Amino acid sequence: MSSQPNLRVLVRRQEIAAAVEKLAAEISQDYQGKYPLLLGVLKGSFIFMADLVRLLDFPLEVDFVRLSSYGQGKESSGKVKVLQGLRSRVRSREVLVIEDIVDTGLTVAFLLDYLRQKKPASLKLCALSDKPSRRQIPVTIDYLGFTVPDKFLVGYGLDWDEKFRNLPDISVLEEVS
Ligand code: IMP
Ligand code: MG
């Protein structure tokens, strides 16, 4: 980005926290007495995952998978590949994928297909945010935090070119010259 980035807060940390609490309550109800594998999609989900699991009061396992789709720009390349595969057993497990944002849907649709082939007992998706206006492939989000407009967002794990993941609020990244 040659111009100066300009950040405008879209979702404040308090609203994010409320959304995470609501998701944790729903997930707790559905997975009570089970022993799910929560599979975070790196890197974007790391903060969300950390906040979410601390609100879950039942036994669970955590693992991460690293996929690539974006490269360094703001647009999805449409090509997805697994950069770092999961180490945990998936077969016959209750698997809950944790995503930061579903945009075109290409990344998570690829991951869900990949996991489905490993025959989990159940496979569900939890996404903090959804940008439905950009969808290229249908994706069912079982647990959703909030819907966001078609803007490029940063903060709370979301990056632009690896920057801004550490910001506690979610902001719109606007370019000003
Ligand atoms: P999709 O394949 O287009 O659905 O993109 C999914 C991935 O792209 C997400 O897991 C994010 O890591 C990244 N992504 C999508 N939209 C944004 C955004 O607005 N800001 C930062 N990263 C995004
Ligand atoms: Mg991601």
Side-chain angles (χ1 to χ4, degrees):
M1 191 179 271
S2 52
S3 51
Q4 277 292 101
N6 181 28
L7 300 180
R8 178 172 56 81
V9 174
L10 180 72
V11 192
R12 297 197 172 277
R13 62 200 79 180
Q14 295 85 350
E15 297 170 63
I16 300 173
V20 176
E21 273 177 40
K22 195 167 151 277
L23 289 172
E26 288 174 36
I27 292 168
S28 294
Q29 235 176 16
D30 294 355
Y31 287 88
Q32 206 60 247
K34 297 179 178 165
Y35 180 49
L37 172 65
L38 270 64
L39 189 59
V41 184
L42 290 174
K43 300 178 192 171
S45 71
F46 81 112
I47 294 178
F48 174 39
M49 179 90 146
D51 283 347
L52 181 70
V53 293
R54 281 179 287 178
L55 298 175
L56 302 179
D57 60 350
F58 54 85
L60 56 87
E61 274 181 38
V62 165
D63 200 354
F64 292 93
V65 65
R66 181 139 181 231
L67 306 167
S68 82
S69 65
Y70 257 51
Q72 300 198 320
K74 288 190 194 172
E75 288 296 311
S76 180
S77 66
K79 294 194 196 86
V80 183
K81 61 179 181 182
V82 178
L83 293 178
Q84 185 190 302
L86 68 168
R87 306 252 188 278
S88 315
R89 182 172 64 86
V90 163
R91 196 179 180 88
S92 306
R93 302 274 327 254
E94 317 276 349
V95 178
L96 178 59
V97 172
I98 311 292
E99 252 291 28
D100 49 3
I101 187 164
V102 181
D103 186 24
T104 64
L106 293 169
T107 308
V108 83
F110 169 86
L111 178 62
L112 292 172
D113 270 357
Y114 173 87
L115 292 169
R116 215 169 274 122
Q117 288 167 25
K118 296 183 183 291
K119 307 243 185 307
S122 71
L123 183 59
K124 287 191 179 184
L125 172 63
C126 170
L128 179 66
S129 59
D130 183 20
K131 223 190 261 181
S133 53
R134 298 247 313 157
R135 198 73 90 254
Q136 288 181 26
I137 187 165
V139 173
T140 303
I141 304 176
D142 302 283
Y143 306 97
L144 175 65
F146 39 80
T147 300
V148 292
D150 182 9
K151 303 280 182 202
F152 197 82
L153 307 177
V154 295
Y156 199 72
L158 292 163
D159 75 305
W160 173 75
D161 200 14
E162 296 304 326
K163 293 183 269 288
F164 309 120
R165 291 193 197 275
N166 54 312
L167 302 179
D169 306 307
I170 293 177
S171 295
V172 176
L173 179 69
E174 288 162 344
E175 292 175 48
V176 291
S177 40

